[in-house]
Amino acid sequence: MITQHTQNLITNLFDQVLNLTSTNYVQIGNYPLEFFCDYFVRRYASLNEKRK
């Protein structure tokens, strides 16, 4: 599970949890999650593009 909400109760149901932030930042919204997903997708695409 990838989350930015550090005190989520359903995180106990998952084997691996990746917290994107160490504390909850209500003021910035879901920007850290969007940034991480954008970086992850671009990195994955760039690594797989070179294999072709």
Side-chain angles (χ1 to χ4, degrees):
M1 175 178 185
I2 300 173
T3 184
Q4 68 182 32
H5 183 57
T6 57
Q7 298 176 4
N8 195 342
L9 296 177
I10 64 171
T11 56
N12 296 334
L13 302 174
F14 293 90
D15 292 333
Q16 295 181 352
V17 177
L18 177 63
N19 288 322
L20 297 180
T21 58
S22 59
T23 58
N24 294 333
Y25 296 105
V26 179
Q27 298 87 0
I28 61 174
N30 61 350
Y31 180 73
L33 186 60
E34 289 181 12
F35 182 79
F36 175 77
C37 290
D38 185 47
Y39 170 78
F40 186 75
V41 168
R42 289 175 188 261
R43 182 70 177 147
Y44 179 80
S46 69
L47 289 175
N48 287 329
E49 181 180 342
K50 295 177 183 178
R51 292 183 185 173
K52 293 180 181 181

